[in-house]
Amino acid sequence: MKVPEIFGENVFSLQVMQEKLPKEVFKSLKKTIDEDRPLDPGVAAVVANAMKDWAVEKGATHFTHWFQPMTGITAEKHDSFITPVAGGKVIMDFSGKELVMGETDASSFPSGGVRAIFEARGYTAWDPTSYAFIKDGTLCIPTVFLSYSGEVLDKKTPLLKSMRALNREALRILRLFGNMSVKRVYPTVGAEQEYFLIDRKMYDARKDLVFSGRTLFGAKPPKGQELEDHYFGPIKARVVAFMQDLDTELWKLGILAKTRHNEVAPGQHELAPIFTITNVASDQNQLMMETMKKVAAKHGLYCLLHEKPFEGVNGSGKHNNWSMSTDTGLNLLDPGTTPAENGQFMLFLAAVVQAVDNYQDLLRLTVASAGNDHRLGANEAPPAIVSVYLGEELEAVIEALENNRKYEGKGRQVMQLGVDTLPELPKDTTDRNRTSPFAFTGNKFEFRMLGATFSIAGPNIIINTIVADTLRQFADELEQAADFTGALHDLVERTFRVHERILFNGNNYSEEWAAEAKRRGLLNLPTCADALPRFADRKNVELFERMGVFTEREVRSRMEIMLENYSKVLTIEGLTMVEMAKKDIYPAVNAYLSELCGAAYRKETMGAPVKADKAAIARLSADNEALYFAAEEVERLLAEAKEAGDAEQTARFFADEVIPAMQKLRSYADDMEQNTSKKYWPFPTYGDILFSV
Ligand code: ADP
Ligand code: MG
C-alpha cells in the first residue's frame, strides 16, 4: 500500500476541486472557503456537477447532506442521483440546488422545545469550508442544520459562529501588534481518542453493553490494570490488524491518523490524529468514531466508545488539544523568540487563563454527560473542578511580572513585556502534568475533560467563544492606550494576578486539591444535575448573545436537551438493570441455589459435612432476595421520576435518588457473581470481556 496515493482518495479536496473545476469557479469557491464568505449561487451548479461526476466515477450512487444534530452523532438520509429520462432510462444527476440546500423533517431530532411540531420543517445547508467525501458508496456533503425560522438545530453552526468570533477578536489584537498581513485566525484542534476493543461475541452476550454501551453489573476481575503492563505495551496481532485497517480507511477519508498505542486498561487503546482547523477536526472526529465501529465489526470485534464501560477500570476520554493559528502559519500560543512575539504570546496566554477562570462553569458543563459523570473525579480523569496548568517555568515568569522583578531563569531575564524576551520554555514532555484538566503543553492547551463519545463541537464552541470574548475585552482596553507597551504589560500582569486562583500545578487527583480549590472559590460541580443548569445563567446568556453564537432561546433549548439526555440515559440504564436482574440474574442464582440445596440435602443424609453449603446458601439467598427488592425499588423510582417536574428537577431526582438505588442493586449482583458457579452466571464477566481479544 502506498499511503500518499490512497490518502484523501475519497475526499473532494481542494486539489481535486482544482483539477475538476473551471478556473473561475475554483477561484470563487476558494475565496468562499478562505475568507469564509457566502457562496456565489452561480458557482454551486458547476461544483455540484463536478462533484457528482467525481463521485460516480468512484462508484457512488447516492448523495446525502451529512449533519450533526444535537444527538451528538451524525445524521444522513441518502438520495440516489438517478433522474428518469425518455425511454425508461435514467441518468445520474445532481443540481446546484441539491448541493446547497436540503430539506428534512426536523421533528424527530432533539430541539429542546425550539421547534414546535407545527413548524417541523428544517433544512440543511452546505458548509463549503469542510470537504465532501465518499462513504459507503454515498457522496456525503457536510452541512449545517437549521429550522425554517432560522433557529440552529445542530452543533456545526454555532461552532462556525464561534470560530468567526475568535477570528474577529484575535485579528484586532494582532493589528495592535502591528501585524497587518494576517487575514485570518482560526482555532486548531487535535483530538486524541480513547476506546476499548472487545470480542463481538462478548458484546452480544451483554444486554447492558447493547442497550447502554457500558456494563451495569460486573465484579472486578482478578487482574485489572494494577500491573500497569498495558500502557504503551506491545499490541496484539488482532488489534494491530484492526488498527492497520482503521488507519487505511481514515487516510482514504483524508484524516491524518498519526499515533496509535495501548492505553492504561486491558483492551483499551488510543488513536491521535494530526491537528487541523477546528470545524474539520470536528467532522473528522465524528467520522473517526464511526469508522472505528465499522472496522471493528469487520474484525469480529466491538469498539466501545463509552466513557466508563467497566467499573474499577479506567474509562475512556478524549483530549482536545487546542490552539490558534493564522493563515500565515503562525501558532499564536507558541512563545516566540523576540520581545514583541513574547508579549503577544503572553497576552494570548493571559486571555485563555482569564477565559477559563471566568467560565469554569461552561467548560465543566460542556463535558457533562451521564457517562462522563463516572470519570470526572474518579482519579483517572481530571476532577470536576476546572483549573489551568502552565508549568513551573511560566508560573515563575508570571510571578516575576507581578513582583516587577527580573526573571532570572535559564540565564535570561524578563522585566517588561514587549521589551524583554522570555526565557526559553522547555518543550520537554516528561514534566507534564497529566492530571490537569486544562494544561498548557508548550504551544497549545490540552482540554482533558471530554468523554470518549463526545462530539468535540460542544467544548470547542465554548473555548472559542470565551477566548474570543476575553480578547474583545483586551482589544477594547489596548486600543485606547497611549503607551501600548506599558498598557500591555499592565494588562497581562493584572490578568494573571486577578485570575491566579485558577492556576494549579499540583496533583489534581488529590483530596487536598478539592479542599484547596474550595478555599480558592473555584467551582466543583460533580454531576450533570449540578453543572448543566448553569448554562442559562445570566452572564453566560449575555456572553453568547454578545459573541453572536447562541440566542437565549438556543441556550435554553440546548440546556434542556442535555438535561433530558441525562435523564433518558439513566432511564435506559435503570430499565436494563431491572430486566437483567429479574430475568437473568435472579433466576440464574435461584437455579444454582436449588442445586446447592439439593446437594446439601443429599450430603446431609449421607452424614457428610455441609457447613460450607449452608454458608453459601445463606449468603446467596440473602443477596438474591435483596437484589429482587432492590430491582423493584429502581423500578418504582423510575416511575416516580416521570412526576419529578421539569428537566432540571428530573435530572436532580436521577442524581439523588435513582443512581444510589442503581448502585445498591448492582452491589448485590456483583457480590453474587463472585459466589455463583460459572456454569450458572448468565453473562460473561469482566475477566472474560477485558481479556477476550
Ligand atoms: P503528546 O501530547 O502525546 O506529546 P503531541 O504534543 O504531538 O503529543 O500532540 C498531541 C495532539 O496535539 C496531536 O493530535 C497533535 O496533532 C495536537 N497538536 C499539536 N500541535 C497543535 C496545535 N498547534 N493546535 C492543536 N493541536 C495541536
Ligand atoms: Mg495527550
Side-chain angles (χ1 to χ4, degrees):
M1 175 182 48
K2 297 211 170 76
V3 178
E5 276 168 31
I6 61 156
F7 188 83
E9 71 175 24
N10 291 341
V11 184
F12 196 68
S13 64
L14 216 54
Q15 198 193 335
V16 179
M17 287 186 224
Q18 187 158 21
E19 267 167 45
K20 308 274 176 187
L21 294 172
K23 247 202 180 88
E24 282 315 301
V25 173
F26 176 72
K27 255 174 74 180
S28 165
L29 186 61
K30 179 106 181 11
K31 220 176 160 65
T32 301
I33 296 168
D34 288 348
E35 294 168 28
D36 195 17
R37 301 248 200 118
L39 183 74
D40 176 352
V43 162
V46 187
V47 178
N49 199 51
M51 229 185 229
K52 181 256 313 175
D53 286 346
W54 168 82
V56 168
E57 212 172 277
K58 293 198 162 285
T61 52
H62 289 70
F63 70 92
T64 181
H65 277 198
W66 185 76
F67 57 103
Q68 303 175 18
M70 293 302 296
T71 52
I73 55 171
T74 56
E76 48 194 77
K77 177 191 79 178
H78 300 181
D79 281 304
S80 72
F81 290 121
I82 61 164
T83 304
V85 287
K89 295 271 183 196
V90 295
I91 54 163
M92 300 301 255
D93 196 34
F94 184 46
S95 68
K97 197 174 151 280
E98 283 171 310
L99 165 64
V100 173
M101 197 162 137
E103 214 174 297
T104 174
D105 177 5
S107 62
S108 298
F109 292 102
S111 73
V114 154
R115 177 204 21 70
I117 299 299
F118 62 83
E119 47 172 36
R121 286 188 317 158
Y123 69 92
T124 49
W126 182 33
D127 160 26
T129 60
S130 35
Y131 303 132
F133 55 91
I134 298 171
K135 178 170 73 80
D136 305 328
T138 299
L139 170 68
C140 300
I141 300 148
T143 56
V144 296
F145 179 39
L146 307 153
S147 77
Y148 261 90
S149 46
E151 260 123 359
V152 176
L153 298 173
D154 70 349
K155 300 196 173 215
K156 187 71 170 289
T157 312
L159 181 64
L160 293 170
K161 287 179 175 175
S162 72
M163 290 169 69
R164 251 164 240 159
L166 187 70
N167 173 54
R168 186 180 62 233
E169 305 303 335
L171 278 178
R172 285 176 67 195
I173 299 284
L174 290 179
R175 298 290 182 258
L176 284 164
F177 282 88
N179 191 332
M180 301 299 164
S181 58
V182 170
K183 284 214 267 316
R184 202 167 153 212
V185 173
Y186 50 86
T188 52
V189 167
E192 303 165 57
Q193 177 75 45
E194 292 179 346
Y195 60 96
F196 277 89
L197 277 184
I198 62 171
D199 193 279
R200 176 78 208 198
K201 289 194 280 297
M202 298 293 158
Y203 172 81
D204 288 335
R206 298 269 323 204
K207 271 184 217 153
D208 46 3
L209 286 178
V210 173
F211 291 143
S212 73
R214 76 179 182 102
T215 54
L216 300 167
F217 298 103
K220 239 176 93 61
K223 177 180 187 320
Q225 61 194 50
E226 47 284 286
L227 294 180
E228 300 176 330
D229 54 355
H230 196 256
Y231 191 60
F232 283 16
I235 306 171
K236 288 185 185 148
R238 195 170 167 202
V239 177
V240 171
F242 159 84
M243 287 175 164
Q244 192 59 38
D245 215 4
L246 174 63
D247 281 348
T248 307
E249 290 308 312
L250 295 175
W251 289 332
K252 285 187 196 164
L253 286 166
I255 298 172
L256 294 157
K258 175 83 176 163
T259 311
R260 56 194 197 192
H261 62 79
N262 282 350
E263 260 298 330
V264 172
Q268 196 186 28
H269 314 278
E270 181 182 294
L271 172 64
I274 297 173
F275 71 96
T276 181
I277 183 165
T278 306
N279 60 324
V280 175
S282 168
D283 285 358
Q284 293 192 339
N285 185 254
Q286 296 295 134
L287 275 176
M288 196 156 119
M289 293 193 284
E290 193 184 320
T291 310
M292 280 176 166
K293 297 226 164 209
K294 250 191 253 167
V295 174
K298 276 203 282 179
H299 289 255
L301 298 166
Y302 193 86
C303 173
L304 291 171
L305 288 169
H306 194 280
E307 282 76 26
K308 192 75 179 175
F310 307 101
E311 201 170 275
V313 173
N314 265 17
S316 298
K318 179 139 60 192
H319 290 174
N320 191 88
N321 293 275
W322 180 93
S323 188
M324 292 165 278
S325 266
T326 67
D327 59 340
T328 54
L330 212 67
N331 177 354
L332 296 177
L333 289 176
D334 200 344
T337 46
T338 66
E341 284 170 345
N342 281 177
Q344 187 179 299
F345 162 71
M346 289 300 284
L347 185 71
F348 280 108
L349 190 75
V352 177
V353 168
Q354 171 170 326
V356 174
D357 188 23
N358 284 349
Y359 296 101
Q360 298 160 43
D361 49 351
L362 287 180
L363 287 166
R364 167 64 186 98
L365 70 88
T366 193
V367 294
S369 75
N372 217 20
D373 272 4
H374 299 290
R375 274 181 77 243
L376 301 177
N379 276 4
E380 58 172 85
I385 306 163
V386 177
S387 70
V388 176
Y389 169 83
L390 290 182
E392 276 171 29
E393 199 76 10
L394 270 176
E395 290 229 345
V397 170
I398 292 162
E399 207 186 352
L401 282 179
E402 283 168 9
N403 299 333
N404 242 337
R405 271 195 288 111
K406 288 191 177 195
Y407 173 76
E408 318 210 349
K410 298 273 152 71
R412 300 228 210 142
Q413 303 182 333
V414 61
M415 289 187 304
Q416 199 185 1
L417 278 185
V419 179
D420 301 311
T421 54
L422 284 183
E424 203 151 339
L425 300 170
K427 286 232 172 74
D428 189 9
T429 51
T430 52
D431 76 330
R432 282 192 189 171
N433 185 332
R434 302 212 166 262
T435 67
S436 172
F438 211 95
F440 184 67
T441 52
N443 59 4
K444 61 186 187 291
F445 276 97
E446 191 169 339
F447 184 30
R448 300 211 180 97
M449 294 170 84
L450 285 70
T453 51
F454 276 72
S455 155
I456 63 167
N460 283 292
I461 292 167
I462 301 301
I463 301 174
N464 295 339
T465 306
I466 61 180
V467 173
D469 189 55
T470 313
L471 292 173
R472 174 195 61 81
Q473 221 177 303
F474 286 7
D476 284 350
E477 181 172 332
L478 293 175
E479 278 165 0
Q480 303 303 320
D483 161 24
F484 174 70
T485 308
L488 169 71
H489 184 95
D490 289 351
L491 173 62
V492 171
E493 185 273 321
R494 171 168 29 96
T495 304
F496 282 120
R497 181 159 38 78
V498 172
H499 298 285
E500 197 180 1
R501 64 172 187 170
I502 198 76
L503 302 179
F504 182 59
N505 282 350
N507 178 8
N508 283 261
Y509 296 174
S510 69
E511 268 167 42
E512 299 81 69
W513 170 233
E516 163 73 14
K518 193 169 177 191
R519 274 195 297 280
R520 293 189 187 188
L522 298 180
L523 288 175
N524 186 357
L525 306 168
T527 72
C528 287
D530 305 303
L532 291 173
R534 305 234 172 191
F535 207 173
D537 281 0
R538 200 69 251 146
K539 79 171 204 328
N540 295 337
V541 169
E542 281 169 11
L543 163 82
F544 291 120
E545 295 200 323
R546 195 160 61 232
M547 289 289 102
V549 173
F550 292 127
T551 61
E552 173 158 9
R553 208 159 115 94
E554 286 166 354
V555 169
R556 290 194 178 280
S557 83
R558 260 151 228 261
M559 181 175 80
E560 181 124 344
I561 290 170
M562 289 164 87
L563 282 164
E564 279 178 358
N565 182 268
Y566 175 72
S567 302
K568 283 179 191 166
V569 165
L570 287 166
T571 303
I572 293 169
E573 290 186 353
L575 290 172
T576 306
M577 285 186 95
V578 170
E579 187 177 314
M580 289 172 79
K582 286 190 165 179
K583 292 193 180 164
D584 299 327
I585 302 172
Y586 183 76
V589 174
N590 253 359
Y592 178 49
L593 273 170
S594 155
E595 186 187 305
L596 275 182
C597 292
Y601 180 75
R602 285 189 295 275
K603 282 202 269 182
E604 207 159 30
T605 57
M606 304 290 293
V610 289
K611 229 166 131 185
D613 301 81
K614 284 190 172 165
I617 289 165
R619 179 166 183 173
L620 279 174
S621 308
D623 269 351
N624 214 22
E625 175 123 333
L627 172 100
Y628 186 86
F629 291 113
E632 299 251 288
E633 175 66 0
V634 170
E635 234 175 342
R636 189 187 66 75
L637 287 169
L638 288 175
E640 203 181 315
K642 295 202 180 95
E643 319 293 324
D646 65 12
E648 187 177 337
Q649 288 160 328
T650 307
R652 192 74 263 165
F653 184 82
F654 272 96
D656 295 344
E657 308 289 335
V658 181
I659 287 180
M662 283 166 60
Q663 278 162 346
K664 197 163 158 199
L665 170 56
R666 176 178 186 144
S667 67
Y668 300 122
D670 292 358
D671 191 56
M672 291 194 291
E673 183 193 308
Q674 289 167 300
N675 293 289
T676 300
S677 156
K678 186 151 183 66
K679 206 171 81 196
Y680 283 89
W681 197 251
F683 32 74
T685 62
Y686 274 20
D688 301 331
I689 304 171
L690 286 167
F691 297 94
S692 64
V693 177

